[in-house]
């Protein structure tokens, strides 16, 4: 079955770039997503990338996809304290509508 | 748009009691998903509906869990009887089935079963 893995924790200083990594096993994944969860809140969709793309940029966010290695990353430029949250990688394959989520990476931004 | 609405936001109940969680999807969306989030298992899909019809309920833990979607604007997830191991955050999400499958999540219901 599908498996999505992320590192559990990342700490950066305010103003630095953050890079959150994700690996997945399902070669038939069509869309890959990044969600953000702040304490006590639901999941907020940040961005997504289609599997035939290598990169997508949206303001401070850059998503890189290496389909050969099944590796996805989210880069946050000029990280701010408000970016402190848990970031979830998720994938959807062609045969299933539901998303498979990673365990989430907790990003801590030091002032 | 109000987004996905869930109620209650918090629920504390005793073991054996019936619990009903409610969800109102975004207007116009035709797919609805129920997820459960725990520390041990992360985010898991319980069930999803398309056009009010349950499509995949393979994630429903056991017969104590049931979900309904009587119309396009309302869904319930019921646990009867509840057990302490059901304590979790339950999220509802909705989407418009148009390939990209962008799911929008509600704020969640935090359930504690004592």
């Amino acid at each position: 079955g599908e498996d999505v893995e992320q590192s559990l924790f990342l700490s950066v200083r305010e103003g630095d770039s953050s890079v959150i990594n994700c690996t997945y096993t399902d070669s038939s994944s069509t869309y890959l997503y990044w969600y953000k969860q702040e304490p006590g809140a639901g999941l907020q969709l940040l961005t997504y990338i289609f599997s035939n793309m290598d990169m997508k940029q949206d303001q401070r966010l850059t998503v890189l996809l290496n389909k050969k290695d099944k590796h996805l990353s989210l880069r946050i430029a000029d990280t701010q304290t408000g970016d402190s949250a848990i970031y979830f990688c998720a994938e959807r394959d062609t045969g299933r509508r539901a998303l498979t989520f990673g365990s989430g990476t907790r990003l801590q931004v030091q002032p | 748009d109000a987004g996905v609405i869930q109620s209650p936001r918090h629920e504390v109940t005793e073991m054996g009691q019936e619990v009903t969680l409610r969800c109102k999807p975004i207007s116009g969306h035709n797919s609805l998903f129920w997820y459960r989030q725990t520390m041990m298992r992360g985010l898991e899909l319980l069930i999803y509906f398309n056009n009010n019809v349950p499509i995949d309920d393979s994630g429903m833990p056991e017969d104590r869990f049931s979900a309904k979607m009587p119309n396009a604007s309302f869904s319930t997830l019921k646990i009867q009887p509840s057990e302490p191991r059901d304590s979790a955050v339950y999220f509802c999400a909705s989407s418009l089935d148009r390939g990209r499958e962008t799911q929008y999540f509600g704020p969640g219901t935090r359930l504690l079963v004592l």
Side-chain angles (χ1 to χ4, degrees), chain A residues 12-27:
Chain A
V12 300
R13 290 198 176 275
E14 191 174 17
D16 288 350
S17 292
S18 307
V19 179
I20 302 172
N21 295 301
C22 170
T23 58
Y24 61 97
T25 58
D26 190 347
S27 59

Side-chain angles (χ1 to χ4, degrees), chain A residues 58-88:
Chain A
D58 184 2
Q59 298 182 337
R60 291 191 299 122
L61 305 179
T62 302
V63 179
L64 294 177
L65 174 61
N66 182 329
K67 196 173 181 184
K68 174 176 171 290
D69 294 339
K70 298 177 189 169
H71 181 267
L72 181 74
S73 67
L74 173 70
R75 179 177 180 269
I76 306 173
D78 187 23
T79 312
Q80 304 297 307
T81 54
D83 294 325
S84 293
I86 300 176
Y87 290 80
F88 290 92

Side-chain angles (χ1 to χ4, degrees), chain A:
Chain A
E2 306 93 357
D3 193 19
V4 180
E5 295 193 356
Q6 304 177 236
S7 54
L8 292 181
F9 186 75
L10 176 66
S11 180
V12 300
R13 290 198 176 275
E14 191 174 17
D16 288 350
S17 292
S18 307
V19 179
I20 302 172
N21 295 301
C22 170
T23 58
Y24 61 97
T25 58
D26 190 347
S27 59
S28 63
S29 296
T30 52
Y31 287 96
L32 296 124
Y33 306 81
W34 284 103
Y35 282 84
K36 176 184 180 182
Q37 185 179 32
E38 298 186 52
L43 276 74
Q44 173 195 354
L45 178 68
L46 289 178
T47 187
Y48 66 92
I49 189 167
F50 188 48
S51 59
N52 67 354
M53 298 168 65
D54 298 324
M55 185 182 88
K56 181 177 181 181
Q57 189 155 2
D58 184 2
Q59 298 182 337
R60 291 191 299 122
L61 305 179
T62 302
V63 179
L64 294 177
L65 174 61
N66 182 329
K67 196 173 181 184
K68 174 176 171 290
D69 294 339
K70 298 177 189 169
H71 181 267
L72 181 74
S73 67
L74 173 70
R75 179 177 180 269
I76 306 173
D78 187 23
T79 312
Q80 304 297 307
T81 54
D83 294 325
S84 293
I86 300 176
Y87 290 80
F88 290 92
C89 168
E91 63 91 21
R92 180 175 80 92
D93 68 25
T94 52
R96 201 161 176 261
R97 299 270 318 284
L99 302 181
T100 300
F101 286 86
S103 56
T105 299
R106 182 179 295 276
L107 175 64
Q108 182 179 67
V109 183
Q110 309 277 6

Side-chain angles (χ1 to χ4, degrees), chain B residues 5 7 20-25 32 34 49 52 68-76:
Chain B
I5 299 173
S7 65
T20 300
L21 311 181
R22 297 173 176 80
C23 175
K24 177 178 167 52
L32 184 141
W34 282 101
F49 296 83
N52 311 340
K68 294 182 180 179
M69 192 163 186
N71 56 62
S73 59
F74 183 67
S75 176
T76 59

Side-chain angles (χ1 to χ4, degrees), chain A residues 31 33 35 37 39-45 48 88 92 96-99 101-103, chain B residues 9 31 35 37 43 45 48 50 56 91 95 97 99-103 105-107 110:
Chain A
Y31 287 96
Y33 306 81
Y35 282 84
Q37 185 179 32
L43 276 74
Q44 173 195 354
L45 178 68
Y48 66 92
F88 290 92
R92 180 175 80 92
R96 201 161 176 261
R97 299 270 318 284
L99 302 181
F101 286 86
S103 56
Chain B
R9 294 293 308 276
S31 295
Y35 290 89
Q37 185 179 37
L43 271 159
L45 176 75
Y48 82 86
N50 190 38
D56 182 355
F91 288 104
S95 72
D97 180 10
R100 193 173 66 212
E101 197 58 76
T102 302
Q103 295 184 18
F105 281 72
R110 281 153 183 76

Side-chain angles (χ1 to χ4, degrees), chain B residues 40-55:
Chain B
M40 292 298 295
R41 298 173 69 89
L43 271 159
E44 303 173 283
L45 176 75
L46 298 176
I47 185 171
Y48 82 86
F49 296 83
N50 190 38
N51 294 322
N52 311 340
V53 176
I55 302 300

